[in-house]
Amino acid sequence: MANNNNGNDQNRGQSNAMNGSNGTHWFDEVRHRNNKHKTLSKFARLIYYRLIVPIKREKRGPHVIAWGVAIGLFVGFTPTVGFQIPLIIILWGIARKLNFHFSMLLAIAWSWLSNGLTMIAFYYVFYVTGLAMLPDDGNSLTFDGFSDYIEDGVEHADSMADYLAFVGQMVGDIGLTVIIGCLPYAIGLSVAGYWATLSMLRSYKKYRQSHE
């Protein structure tokens, strides 16, 4: 009896850790519109609907879900803004032919972390990291110079052909540095995302089972 009581106490402790004061999951409280921390609430809802809801709607196995997150993060942290969806569709098609399965929708959702708003900051981090990994040629750009270079190229791209021409020019100018610099983030975050997703799915499954 003592062991059973201890087990029940432990389960209740785990349940209380995941639940708020009114019995809801703590994340539900954070993202609720009535949360007094409006900015935090908006950010939590954005994360929830953009990234968590696709995971909850995916009905296939946990590894299919985790691989979708991992591939989305890998693509999202490469300099492929504007080409992410076509690239993921191509990877998905190749994977199916090799009998390897991942959620294409989840991959697209998680690649969203890199977008038009975050592109310059991400690319500059990749650029600086690449400079640290490659021999110094003495022609490094400051953040302002890098930002002006990207913004000027995008502003003058009046068509897809112009944009592709700018991308080609950028690859020639700083592409190798950015590509090399993105690899630690793309590889590291995709691996972390895979295992974090599996862990989250296991925790969510236990949470659901304890409330059935």
Side-chain angles (χ1 to χ4, degrees), residues 151-193:
E151 290 178 351
D152 186 65
V154 172
E155 285 179 5
H156 289 85
D158 297 325
S159 65
M160 180 57 69
D162 291 339
Y163 181 72
L164 292 175
F166 167 65
V167 170
Q169 177 187 338
M170 184 174 65
V171 168
D173 292 341
I174 59 175
L176 179 62
T177 305
V178 173
I179 291 170
I180 294 296
C182 83
L183 292 179
Y185 304 100
I187 295 172
L189 289 171
S190 62
V191 171

Side-chain angles (χ1 to χ4, degrees), residues 28-200:
D28 293 331
E29 292 187 349
V30 172
R31 68 182 177 87
H32 198 280
R33 291 182 182 275
N34 292 331
N35 186 345
K36 63 181 180 180
H37 303 290
K38 298 299 184 182
T39 301
L40 180 61
S41 175
K42 289 180 180 179
F43 180 73
R45 289 200 302 275
L46 182 66
I47 293 294
Y48 180 77
Y49 288 111
R50 291 277 190 168
L51 305 179
I52 305 301
V53 167
I55 290 178
K56 295 176 70 174
R57 288 179 176 173
E58 176 58 63
K59 302 302 181 183
R60 290 175 287 179
H63 290 280
V64 172
I65 295 172
W67 274 115
V69 172
I71 290 172
L73 285 171
F74 183 88
V75 172
F77 282 86
T78 57
T80 54
V81 172
F83 304 97
Q84 292 164 329
I85 293 178
L87 179 56
I88 289 172
I89 292 173
I90 291 171
L91 291 174
W92 181 78
I94 294 172
R96 282 179 61 87
K97 290 185 178 295
L98 297 175
N99 199 30
F100 175 80
H101 301 284
F102 69 88
S103 170
M104 180 175 65
L105 293 180
L106 273 174
I108 291 173
W110 280 81
S111 70
W112 157 86
L113 289 172
S114 177
N115 53 67
L117 295 177
T118 62
M119 179 178 71
I120 293 177
F122 279 13
Y123 282 18
Y124 187 69
V125 171
F126 301 158
Y127 176 69
V128 171
T129 303
L131 288 175
M133 298 171 67
L134 294 171
D136 186 5
D137 60 3
N139 296 316
S140 59
L141 296 171
T142 64
F143 178 77
D144 290 338
F146 185 89
S147 177
D148 290 342
Y149 175 84
I150 300 294
E151 290 178 351
D152 186 65
V154 172
E155 285 179 5
H156 289 85
D158 297 325
S159 65
M160 180 57 69
D162 291 339
Y163 181 72
L164 292 175
F166 167 65
V167 170
Q169 177 187 338
M170 184 174 65
V171 168
D173 292 341
I174 59 175
L176 179 62
T177 305
V178 173
I179 291 170
I180 294 296
C182 83
L183 292 179
Y185 304 100
I187 295 172
L189 289 171
S190 62
V191 171
Y194 178 85
W195 291 111
T197 301
L198 284 181
S199 177
M200 187 196 75

